[in-house]
């Protein structure tokens, strides 16, 4: 159970490097919710001794439910169960996010569409980190999706990522490696 939590924390630490891309930090709560949903799927899968292949599927399922609850709640049944109207609204918000990404330069205002793109991307990175570190038992390989998340600000900003965010990302990755080492012993 320690390793899925460490994977979630490492993803959250790497996501901290995205702060300079946005005008405010309201996107961070959505990203943290996505990481929590994926980590919950990983913990439940590990705790219940379910087949390893179910963790990414469970992570995708919980991430999808979270995205519907967060961005299309008013059209979803009971606030999170997908309906055709909820999926259509989610698609509309996604399209507006793609339009906003093309329109603005960093730091961007946090619109629902941009927040959806960011939240979904962070959630997918969390699934990949969990898959590599926990399911495949290759914690060092989990550094690649974390590096992909870390490299997003480097691609869009002229200035380098601040040292506190870089330090947090590095410590998150080291914590993941330490948790993996402890589980192996």
């Amino acid at each position: 159970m320690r390793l899925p939590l460490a994977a979630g924390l490492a993803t959250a630490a790497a996501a901290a490097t995205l702060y300079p891309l946005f005008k405010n930090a309201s996107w961070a709560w959505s990203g943290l919710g996505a990481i929590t949903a994926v980590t919950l799927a990983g913990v439940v899968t590990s705790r219940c001794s379910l087949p390893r292949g179910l963790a990414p599927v469970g992570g995708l399922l919980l991430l999808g439910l979270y995205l519907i609850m967060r961005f299309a709640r008013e059209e979803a049944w009971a606030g999170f169960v997908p309906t055709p109207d909820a999926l259509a609204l989610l698609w509309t918000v996604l399209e507006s996010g793609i339009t906003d990404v093309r329109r603005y330069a960093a730091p961007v205002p946090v619109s629902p569409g941009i927040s959806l793109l960011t939240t979904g991307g962070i959630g997918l990175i969390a699934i990949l980190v969990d898959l590599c570190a926990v399911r495949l038992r290759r914690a060092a390989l989990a550094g690649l999706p974390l590096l992909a998340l870390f490299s997003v600000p480097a691609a869009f900003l002229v200035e380098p990522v601040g040292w506190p965010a870089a330090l947090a990302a590095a410590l998150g990755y080291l914590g993941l490696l330490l948790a993996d080492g402890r589980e192996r012993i």
Side-chain angles (χ1 to χ4, degrees), residues 87-163:
L87 295 176
L89 178 59
L90 204 60
W91 184 257
T92 302
V93 173
L94 180 69
E95 286 177 332
S96 74
I98 292 170
T99 302
D100 288 346
V101 165
R102 291 181 182 150
R103 183 181 316 156
Y104 298 113
V108 298
V110 182
S111 67
I114 288 176
S115 185
L116 172 62
L117 288 170
T118 305
T119 302
I122 291 171
L124 291 175
I125 294 291
I127 291 169
L128 289 174
V129 170
D130 182 79
L131 176 67
C132 293
V134 183
R135 309 305 148 202
L136 299 177
R137 304 291 298 173
R138 304 279 185 252
L141 186 62
L144 292 176
L146 293 173
L147 180 62
L149 187 59
F150 184 83
S151 67
V152 170
F156 292 104
L157 296 173
V158 176
E159 300 164 5
V161 173
W163 69 267

Side-chain angles (χ1 to χ4, degrees), residues 20-64:
L21 292 175
F22 303 96
K23 287 189 177 177
N24 61 46
S26 62
W27 63 272
W29 294 109
S30 295
L32 190 59
I35 293 168
T36 302
V38 171
T39 302
L40 179 65
V43 167
V44 168
T45 306
S46 296
R47 194 73 146 155
C48 297
S49 300
L50 296 173
R52 290 180 182 216
L54 287 182
V57 174
L60 280 172
L61 178 68
L62 281 181
L63 177 62

